[in-house]
Amino acid sequence: MTDLNPLAELFPGISLPMPGSSMSDEEALRYARKRFPHGSYCLVRNWLWLDLDAPTEILQSLAVSKRQPAIIYADTVVYDSERRWDVGDFVRTSPLHHFADDFLFHTLNTAYLLLGPGQRKRTSIENVACII
């Protein structure tokens, strides 16, 4: 397992451990292909759930579009069904639409399968904007 501490240190504040799926990469890929045969999905490891502190206007805008002020920053893409990212790339998601089964982070366009343990932190929207 990759140490998430350097990743978490990108953002100030306390990290809380958070479980992801214990499936292997191969099991997760089979699961995703069966569960999302016509949808976009991305398998990630070494991930950080970021709860965003944002101005009221942004929070209201997210609420109107049925999204929540949370994103995933993952250090390791395992597989992306749309080939937007290569294996091993990092990814920053768009805001959370809904979370299911303790490891499926859904945005409006993609289901992200959170594999292995991760961390959860609160951070400012300005800190997130600094991620390339």
Side-chain angles (χ1 to χ4, degrees):
M1 176 181 93
T2 301
D3 183 13
L4 288 173
N5 287 331
L7 176 60
E9 288 172 8
L10 290 174
F11 304 97
I14 298 169
S15 293
L16 300 173
M18 194 171 173
S21 172
S22 61
M23 286 186 272
S24 71
D25 295 351
E26 296 78 18
E27 291 169 326
L29 187 54
R30 282 193 302 273
Y31 172 90
R33 285 179 173 154
K34 184 175 181 178
R35 175 103 186 243
F36 309 108
H38 304 293
S40 297
Y41 55 88
C42 185
L43 284 58
V44 298
R45 289 194 178 278
N46 306 316
W47 52 272
L48 184 60
W49 177 302
L50 297 169
D51 292 304
L52 305 176
D53 288 326
T56 303
E57 313 81 63
I58 292 176
L59 297 176
Q60 290 171 340
S61 175
L62 289 171
V64 166
S65 61
K66 296 185 179 7
R67 296 181 295 163
Q68 300 172 45
I71 66 165
I72 296 294
Y73 174 83
D75 194 40
T76 308
V77 170
V78 174
Y79 180 83
D80 178 46
S81 67
E82 300 296 318
R83 306 229 188 303
R84 295 162 291 193
W85 303 282
D86 289 330
V87 172
D89 282 353
F90 75 89
V91 64
R92 180 185 73 185
T93 71
S94 57
L96 173 66
H97 178 56
H98 71 276
F99 186 61
D101 300 334
D102 295 328
F103 72 97
L104 295 173
F105 186 100
H106 292 267
T107 66
L108 290 177
N109 299 313
T110 304
Y112 292 86
L113 285 73
L114 307 179
L115 304 177
Q119 292 183 27
R120 187 170 187 168
K121 293 189 93 158
R122 177 162 293 284
T123 194
S124 71
I125 200 161
E126 293 83 10
N127 284 342
V128 170
C130 293
I131 303 172
I132 296 176

Short mmCIF file of all heavy atoms in Angstrom, two decimals, residues 3 15 29 35 48 59 63-64 71 82 84 87 90 96 98 103 108 111 121 123-124 129 132:
data_model
loop_
_atom_site.label_atom_id
_atom_site.label_comp_id
_atom_site.label_asym_id
_atom_site.label_seq_id
_atom_site.Cartn_x
_atom_site.Cartn_y
_atom_site.Cartn_z
N ASP A 3 1.84 4.99 0.97
CA ASP A 3 1.59 5.85 2.12
C ASP A 3 0.85 7.10 1.67
O ASP A 3 1.32 7.83 0.80
CB ASP A 3 2.93 6.20 2.77
CG ASP A 3 2.79 7.02 4.02
OD1 ASP A 3 1.66 7.13 4.54
OD2 ASP A 3 3.81 7.56 4.48
N SER A 15 -6.50 14.55 9.12
CA SER A 15 -7.00 13.51 8.22
C SER A 15 -7.68 12.43 9.04
O SER A 15 -7.20 12.06 10.10
CB SER A 15 -5.85 12.85 7.45
OG SER A 15 -5.27 13.72 6.57
N LEU A 29 -12.60 -4.18 -11.61
CA LEU A 29 -12.88 -3.97 -13.03
C LEU A 29 -14.05 -4.84 -13.48
O LEU A 29 -14.95 -4.36 -14.19
CB LEU A 29 -11.63 -4.24 -13.86
CG LEU A 29 -11.73 -3.91 -15.34
CD1 LEU A 29 -12.17 -2.47 -15.58
CD2 LEU A 29 -10.40 -4.17 -16.03
N ARG A 35 -21.70 -3.61 -13.35
CA ARG A 35 -22.60 -2.64 -12.72
C ARG A 35 -22.86 -1.41 -13.59
O ARG A 35 -23.93 -0.82 -13.53
CB ARG A 35 -21.98 -2.21 -11.38
CG ARG A 35 -22.72 -1.12 -10.65
CD ARG A 35 -23.51 -1.65 -9.50
NE ARG A 35 -24.33 -0.64 -8.89
CZ ARG A 35 -24.20 -0.23 -7.65
NH1 ARG A 35 -23.30 -0.75 -6.86
NH2 ARG A 35 -25.00 0.69 -7.17
N LEU A 48 -7.99 10.58 -1.57
CA LEU A 48 -8.27 11.51 -0.48
C LEU A 48 -9.63 12.15 -0.76
O LEU A 48 -9.84 12.73 -1.83
CB LEU A 48 -7.17 12.57 -0.45
CG LEU A 48 -7.16 13.62 0.62
CD1 LEU A 48 -7.06 12.99 2.01
CD2 LEU A 48 -5.97 14.56 0.40
N LEU A 59 -21.97 26.95 -2.58
CA LEU A 59 -22.75 25.88 -1.95
C LEU A 59 -24.17 25.86 -2.50
O LEU A 59 -24.72 24.79 -2.78
CB LEU A 59 -22.75 26.04 -0.43
CG LEU A 59 -21.40 25.92 0.25
CD1 LEU A 59 -21.54 26.21 1.75
CD2 LEU A 59 -20.77 24.56 0.02
N ALA A 63 -25.99 22.88 -4.68
CA ALA A 63 -27.27 22.31 -4.24
C ALA A 63 -28.31 22.33 -5.36
O ALA A 63 -29.06 21.37 -5.54
CB ALA A 63 -27.79 23.07 -3.02
N VAL A 64 -28.33 23.40 -6.14
CA VAL A 64 -29.28 23.51 -7.26
C VAL A 64 -29.05 22.38 -8.25
O VAL A 64 -30.00 21.82 -8.82
CB VAL A 64 -29.17 24.89 -7.94
CG1 VAL A 64 -29.87 24.91 -9.29
CG2 VAL A 64 -29.72 25.98 -7.03
N ILE A 71 -15.04 16.39 -3.11
CA ILE A 71 -14.40 15.82 -4.30
C ILE A 71 -13.44 14.73 -3.85
O ILE A 71 -13.11 14.61 -2.68
CB ILE A 71 -13.63 16.87 -5.13
CG1 ILE A 71 -12.43 17.40 -4.34
CG2 ILE A 71 -14.53 18.00 -5.59
CD1 ILE A 71 -11.43 18.16 -5.18
N GLU A 82 -13.34 5.68 -19.92
CA GLU A 82 -13.38 6.64 -21.03
C GLU A 82 -11.99 7.00 -21.54
O GLU A 82 -11.87 7.84 -22.43
CB GLU A 82 -14.12 7.90 -20.58
CG GLU A 82 -15.55 7.67 -20.14
CD GLU A 82 -16.44 7.16 -21.26
OE1 GLU A 82 -16.32 7.68 -22.39
OE2 GLU A 82 -17.25 6.26 -21.00
N ARG A 84 -9.79 8.87 -20.24
CA ARG A 84 -9.42 10.27 -20.01
C ARG A 84 -8.07 10.36 -19.31
O ARG A 84 -7.35 11.33 -19.50
CB ARG A 84 -10.50 10.96 -19.15
CG ARG A 84 -11.85 11.06 -19.83
CD ARG A 84 -12.94 11.34 -18.85
NE ARG A 84 -13.13 10.16 -18.00
CZ ARG A 84 -14.15 9.98 -17.20
NH1 ARG A 84 -15.08 10.92 -17.08
NH2 ARG A 84 -14.26 8.88 -16.48
N VAL A 87 -3.27 4.81 -16.85
CA VAL A 87 -2.97 4.07 -15.62
C VAL A 87 -1.81 4.77 -14.91
O VAL A 87 -0.82 5.13 -15.53
CB VAL A 87 -2.59 2.60 -15.95
CG1 VAL A 87 -2.09 1.89 -14.72
CG2 VAL A 87 -3.78 1.89 -16.57
N PHE A 90 -2.87 10.85 -11.80
CA PHE A 90 -3.70 11.31 -10.69
C PHE A 90 -4.98 11.87 -11.29
O PHE A 90 -5.05 12.17 -12.48
CB PHE A 90 -2.97 12.37 -9.84
CG PHE A 90 -2.88 13.71 -10.49
CD1 PHE A 90 -3.89 14.65 -10.31
CD2 PHE A 90 -1.80 14.06 -11.27
CE1 PHE A 90 -3.82 15.90 -10.90
CE2 PHE A 90 -1.71 15.31 -11.88
CZ PHE A 90 -2.73 16.23 -11.69
N LEU A 96 -19.27 15.77 -5.71
CA LEU A 96 -20.07 14.58 -5.39
C LEU A 96 -21.53 14.79 -5.75
O LEU A 96 -22.12 15.81 -5.41
CB LEU A 96 -19.93 14.29 -3.89
CG LEU A 96 -20.81 13.19 -3.30
CD1 LEU A 96 -20.43 11.83 -3.86
CD2 LEU A 96 -20.68 13.19 -1.78
N HIS A 98 -23.69 11.64 -5.47
CA HIS A 98 -24.10 10.78 -4.36
C HIS A 98 -23.04 9.72 -4.10
O HIS A 98 -22.21 9.43 -4.97
CB HIS A 98 -25.49 10.18 -4.57
CG HIS A 98 -25.57 9.12 -5.63
ND1 HIS A 98 -25.70 9.40 -6.96
CD2 HIS A 98 -25.52 7.77 -5.53
CE1 HIS A 98 -25.73 8.27 -7.65
NE2 HIS A 98 -25.62 7.27 -6.81
N PHE A 103 -18.10 2.85 -1.15
CA PHE A 103 -16.91 3.01 -1.99
C PHE A 103 -17.21 3.57 -3.39
O PHE A 103 -16.30 3.74 -4.19
CB PHE A 103 -16.14 1.69 -2.13
CG PHE A 103 -16.81 0.65 -2.98
CD1 PHE A 103 -16.45 0.50 -4.32
CD2 PHE A 103 -17.80 -0.17 -2.47
CE1 PHE A 103 -17.06 -0.46 -5.12
CE2 PHE A 103 -18.41 -1.12 -3.25
CZ PHE A 103 -18.04 -1.28 -4.58
N LEU A 108 -21.76 13.73 -11.46
CA LEU A 108 -22.86 13.72 -12.43
C LEU A 108 -22.56 12.85 -13.64
O LEU A 108 -23.46 12.37 -14.31
CB LEU A 108 -23.20 15.15 -12.87
CG LEU A 108 -23.86 16.02 -11.81
CD1 LEU A 108 -24.08 17.43 -12.34
CD2 LEU A 108 -25.17 15.42 -11.34
N ALA A 111 -18.79 7.25 -12.16
CA ALA A 111 -18.72 6.55 -10.88
C ALA A 111 -17.25 6.25 -10.60
O ALA A 111 -16.57 5.62 -11.43
CB ALA A 111 -19.51 5.25 -10.94
N LYS A 121 -10.50 14.67 4.55
CA LYS A 121 -10.06 15.95 5.12
C LYS A 121 -11.02 17.05 4.71
O LYS A 121 -11.68 16.95 3.69
CB LYS A 121 -8.68 16.34 4.59
CG LYS A 121 -7.55 15.46 5.02
CD LYS A 121 -6.23 16.05 4.62
CE LYS A 121 -5.75 16.86 5.80
NZ LYS A 121 -4.32 17.10 5.81
N THR A 123 -11.02 21.00 3.57
CA THR A 123 -10.08 21.98 3.03
C THR A 123 -10.84 23.08 2.32
O THR A 123 -12.02 22.93 2.02
CB THR A 123 -9.06 21.31 2.08
OG1 THR A 123 -7.98 22.22 1.83
CG2 THR A 123 -9.70 20.88 0.78
N SER A 124 -10.15 24.15 2.04
CA SER A 124 -10.77 25.27 1.35
C SER A 124 -10.83 25.00 -0.16
O SER A 124 -10.02 24.24 -0.70
CB SER A 124 -9.98 26.56 1.60
OG SER A 124 -8.75 26.51 0.90
N ALA A 129 -8.15 24.34 -5.73
CA ALA A 129 -7.88 25.00 -7.02
C ALA A 129 -6.40 24.96 -7.38
O ALA A 129 -6.05 25.09 -8.54
CB ALA A 129 -8.38 26.44 -6.98
N ILE A 132 -3.16 20.81 -9.99
CA ILE A 132 -3.15 20.90 -11.44
C ILE A 132 -4.12 19.90 -12.03
O ILE A 132 -4.24 18.81 -11.64
CB ILE A 132 -1.73 20.62 -11.99
CG1 ILE A 132 -0.81 21.70 -11.48
CG2 ILE A 132 -1.73 20.56 -13.49
CD1 ILE A 132 0.64 21.50 -11.85
#
